[in-house]
Amino acid sequence: MTEASLSFSSPDQILLLFGTQDRYLRQVRDVVGVDVTLRGDEIRLLGTDEQIRKGLAVFAELRAILDKRGELLESEVEGVLNTTGNGHQATAATDETIDLFEKARRVAPRTLGQAEYVKSIRENDLVFCIGPAGSGKTYLAVAMAVNALRQEQVQKIVLVRPAVEAGERLGFLPGDLLAKVNPFLRPLLDALNEMLDFEQVKRYMERDVIEIVPLAFMRGRTLNNTFIILDEGQNTTVTQMKMFLTRLGNGSKIVVTGDTTQTDLPPHVTSGLNDAIARLSAIEGIEHVKLTARDIVRHRLVKEIVKAYDDQPVRHAVRRKG
C-alpha cells in the first residue's frame, strides 16, 4: 500500500471538498477506491499506486475548481470522476477554459474530447458536433457564445432548436405558438441561466442581444456578427439544414449540435445533420467533432445508460396494415 498527502488553503476548503455529510468524499472513494483521512489542512490518501495516482489527480482537479469559484457542484465532482477518476487525462482540457466574464465564472472542458470541441469552435466559423446525451455539446457551445459576446467578438447570440415532437403533437399542447414551442427551447435557456445571472439574461433578451427561436423562424434572415447555435440538429430535414446554414453572415459563427441516435424524424426522412456532415466536412473552415460516452459528464449513471442502449439498440415495432 502507498500513502500520499495533499495540502489545502484551510480546513474550510476541505469541508467544501468533502461536501454535505461527506457525499463528495464517498463518491471519490467509490470510484477511485482510495482511502482518505483528514489531518488539519491536508488530506492523506492510502491505496495502491494506481489508486493514489488517480486520487491525487481527482482531488487536485477539485481543488482547482474551489480555488477559482469558491464552491463545488455535484455535477463538477461527477465530471471530474468521469474523466480523471476513470483514467482519462483531463489536464490538457484546462488549456481551453472558457471565461464568461461574469463574477469570475469559468467553464472548463472536462475531457480531451470536450477540449478539442472548444478548440474547434475557436478556430472555425462552422462546427458540427455530434455526441450522446450529457457530453456537453450544447452547454460548451453556449459558453463559447457568451464568451464571444462578452469579448465583443459578436454583437448577438441566436439559439435555435427545431420544434420536432418526440412522440407528441404540438397541436395538442395548450397555449399559443410561443407557449407550444417553449418546451423545445427550454434546454438552451437553462444553459444560459447556469452561466449568467437571471437579471442579466433577462436584459439581454429584452434588448434582443440574446434570441431563442424555433428553427422555422429563421427563414429569410441573414445574421451578421452573430454567434448562432442550432441544437438537436439531427431533427432537421436536409432542406431545413440548408436554409439554416445559409443564414450565416459576415463576422458570424455557427455551431450545430446533435445526437444521431435520438432522431425524432419519420423513418423515411433523411436527417439534415448527417447529410450536412457528409457534404460539407471537407470544406476549409468547417469542422466536424464527434464526442463519445467518454465525454459524458452528467450523473455517472448516464454513461451506463448510453452504453446499455448502444450495446442493445432499440428495435421499433413494425406496424402492419390490417
Side-chain angles (χ1 to χ4, degrees), residues 12 37 39 106 133 176 179 188 206 209 211 242-243 276 299:
D12 290 339
T37 58
R39 292 190 181 181
R106 294 173 180 266
D176 59 16
L188 296 169
E206 287 174 347
V209 174
E211 188 178 356
K242 178 184 176 183
M243 179 275 292
H299 192 285

Side-chain angles (χ1 to χ4, degrees), residues 13-57:
Q13 192 180 44
I14 296 179
L15 292 177
L16 292 173
L17 176 79
F18 284 3
T20 305
Q21 297 180 339
D22 291 343
R23 70 178 188 275
Y24 297 162
L25 174 60
R26 289 196 297 272
Q27 285 179 273
V28 175
R29 283 173 170 166
D30 290 344
V31 174
V32 179
V34 69
D35 189 33
V36 182
T37 58
L38 171 63
R39 292 190 181 181
D41 59 355
E42 71 175 22
I43 59 173
R44 295 193 176 184
L45 284 64
L46 181 66
T48 65
D49 290 343
E50 181 66 9
Q51 289 170 338
I52 293 294
R53 184 188 66 78
K54 289 183 180 180
L56 289 173

Side-chain angles (χ1 to χ4, degrees), residues 98-102 105-107 121 138-159 188-189 191-197 200-201 204 209-210 227-229:
I98 307 166
D99 194 341
L100 302 178
F101 302 98
E102 174 77 7
R105 292 179 185 170
R106 294 173 180 266
V107 172
I121 295 175
T138 302
Y139 189 84
L140 291 172
V142 173
M144 287 295 289
V146 172
N147 173 270
L149 180 67
R150 287 300 184 89
Q151 293 194 85
E152 299 184 351
Q153 296 172 353
V154 297
Q155 298 173 359
K156 183 182 179 73
I157 297 174
V158 175
L159 307 175
L188 296 169
L189 189 57
L192 270 176
N193 285 329
E194 280 193 39
M195 299 174 197
L196 302 174
D197 290 341
Q200 180 67 76
V201 174
Y204 276 149
V209 174
I210 294 179
F227 198 117
I228 314 160
I229 299 171

Side-chain angles (χ1 to χ4, degrees), residues 113-126:
Q114 289 187 350
E116 185 64 30
Y117 176 38
V118 171
K119 182 180 178 183
S120 294
I121 295 175
R122 286 197 168 111
E123 296 178 352
N124 298 276
D125 288 336
L126 175 53

Side-chain angles (χ1 to χ4, degrees), residues 73-86:
L73 303 178
E74 185 168 2
S75 60
E76 293 170 327
V77 176
E78 291 173 348
V80 171
L81 287 173
N82 283 336
T83 53
T84 311
N86 284 326

Side-chain angles (χ1 to χ4, degrees), residues 159-227:
L159 307 175
V160 185
R161 243 183 172 226
V164 176
E165 310 95 326
E168 298 176 353
R169 297 293 177 187
L170 286 175
F172 290 101
L173 296 175
D176 59 16
L177 177 61
L178 290 179
K180 291 175 187 292
V181 300
N182 181 65
F184 299 97
L185 305 178
R186 175 56 56 181
L188 296 169
L189 189 57
D190 288 343
L192 270 176
N193 285 329
E194 280 193 39
M195 299 174 197
L196 302 174
D197 290 341
F198 174 79
E199 290 300 322
Q200 180 67 76
V201 174
K202 184 179 178 181
R203 285 193 296 271
Y204 276 149
M205 295 185 72
E206 287 174 347
R207 302 203 312 260
D208 213 28
V209 174
I210 294 179
E211 188 178 356
I212 306 179
V213 296
L215 177 61
F217 288 19
M218 295 291 289
R219 189 173 298 278
R221 302 180 65 178
T222 299
L223 297 171
N224 297 316
N225 303 308
T226 303
F227 198 117

